[in-house]
Amino acid sequence: MSDPQCGFRLLEHPSDLGIEAWGITMAEVFRQSALGLMSILVDRDSVELHGKHAVRITGRDRESLLVRWLSEILYLYDGEHFITAEVEIQDIEEMSVRALLGGEHIGTQKHRLRTDVKAVTYHQLAMKEDAGRIVARVFLDI
């Protein structure tokens, strides 16, 4: 059963692709945004849990924290060939997040790769409270 209080959707843009993520807590918004990014990069159904990465990210505010968070997940994908399938937010504050990412390394025969993402951008970056939920919007350079 899906929870309408949390989730994500992809946003079309003429030259980019965006993610709108929402949840009741910041932790859920960050979790959903990470899952949204991974759904753009790879078919998540092809990913199993065979490894973990601990991450700790800081930012100057919650919007920059979101960009740095997604940039770290993108770095793990591009630089270390690690696909994130599960996100456990261990601690989150206004300017820091600590999490454990579960997934596995890319296997070209196993995983169905999708769109290449160059970077997470600050273009139209937004985070707001709306009807008892936190809603974040971030665009990716593809």
Side-chain angles (χ1 to χ4, degrees):
M1 181 168 95
S2 108
D3 182 354
Q5 291 297 324
C6 64
F8 70 86
R9 69 183 176 111
L10 303 182
L11 305 170
E12 297 292 327
H13 189 275
S15 61
D16 300 323
L17 192 58
I19 302 167
E20 184 174 82
W22 60 90
I24 295 173
T25 66
M26 284 288 293
E28 193 58 38
V29 170
F30 274 59
R31 181 178 171 280
Q32 292 296 328
S33 65
L35 296 177
L37 173 61
M38 293 316 301
S39 76
I40 292 167
L41 295 168
V42 64
D43 178 354
R44 290 183 30 233
D45 290 337
S46 69
V47 182
E48 296 177 26
L49 300 175
H50 291 297
K52 295 192 182 232
H53 272 277
V55 296
R56 172 175 235 131
I57 308 296
T58 60
R60 65 182 182 278
D61 54 31
R62 63 186 191 171
E63 290 84 3
S64 69
L65 182 63
L66 179 63
V67 170
R68 295 194 61 185
W69 161 251
L70 293 175
S71 295
E72 178 68 14
I73 293 168
L74 183 58
Y75 165 75
L76 288 172
Y77 176 81
D78 282 337
E80 297 190 20
H81 308 291
F82 184 79
I83 302 172
T84 299
E86 183 177 272
V87 179
E88 178 190 338
I89 304 293
Q90 297 174 318
D91 184 50
I92 191 164
E93 297 177 17
E94 192 76 12
M95 296 185 291
S96 69
V97 61
R98 187 172 49 86
L100 194 58
L101 307 176
E104 66 181 329
H105 285 87
I106 296 172
T108 55
Q109 300 301 318
K110 177 182 180 183
H111 300 112
R112 294 180 296 276
L113 305 181
R114 292 185 170 163
T115 305
D116 187 35
V117 174
K118 297 176 192 172
V120 182
T121 73
Y122 285 86
H123 175 69
Q124 295 185 6
L125 176 63
M127 194 174 300
K128 64 180 181 174
E129 306 264 344
D130 183 33
R133 302 183 306 177
I134 302 167
V135 180
R137 181 176 285 185
V138 63
F139 282 89
L140 311 167
D141 184 12
I142 56 172

